[in-house]
Amino acid sequence: QVHLVESGGGLVQAGGSLRLSCAASGRIFSINVMGWYRQAPGNQRELVAVMDSGGDSTYADSVKGRFTISRDNAANTVYLQMNSLKPEDTAVYYCNLKSRSSVAPGNEDTWGQGTQVTVSS
């Protein structure tokens, strides 16, 4: 059982920056993948950035060069640094964690509650 708590969303002008945080708690034996997704009104939920257990990252083309995913392993926390924000970045952002709860094989898939990011022109 894993619980994720997100923070850091808000209102910012175009060209500004925000940093999102996601803290994980509960039974975590090991982490497979952690990442961020977003969903804007009228759109599908889409991948923004993910990081595997070795620290390798993958980004959506729309955010490459502007967003950076990072983590604090000791605190079980993942971050999303968002720079040069654009109005099209406006969405609800969700944290996601794929983990194992024991030595037995099998993944647990956990989602955060979502945090609103609004970028004005």
Side-chain angles (χ1 to χ4, degrees):
Q1 295 180 321
V2 180
H3 182 62
L4 303 178
V5 178
E6 301 180 34
S7 62
L11 174 64
V12 65
Q13 292 186 342
S17 299
L18 287 172
R19 189 177 79 156
L20 306 183
S21 299
C22 176
S25 61
R27 187 174 179 84
I28 302 173
F29 177 75
S30 64
I31 295 173
N32 183 11
V33 180
M34 57 180 61
W36 293 92
Y37 295 72
R38 68 186 181 187
Q39 187 168 18
N43 292 337
Q44 301 274 339
R45 185 173 297 188
E46 65 177 352
L47 183 149
V48 177
V50 295
M51 177 179 288
D52 66 19
S53 60
D56 293 326
S57 302
T58 301
Y59 296 90
D61 288 341
S62 59
V63 307
K64 286 181 180 177
R66 300 188 298 119
F67 291 10
T68 303
I69 187 170
S70 62
R71 69 188 183 193
D72 182 340
N73 289 332
N76 283 337
T77 301
V78 61
Y79 304 93
L80 184 68
Q81 179 67 46
M82 304 184 293
N83 298 326
S84 302
L85 282 162
K86 305 175 181 179
E88 50 263 45
D89 295 319
T90 296
V92 177
Y93 284 70
Y94 298 90
C95 179
N96 176 253
L97 178 67
K98 294 177 171 61
S99 62
R100 292 173 60 190
S101 60
S102 72
V103 296
N107 286 323
E108 184 160 325
D109 195 354
T110 308
W111 291 90
Q113 80 279 9
T115 184
Q116 177 70 48
V117 172
T118 302
V119 184
S120 62
S121 300

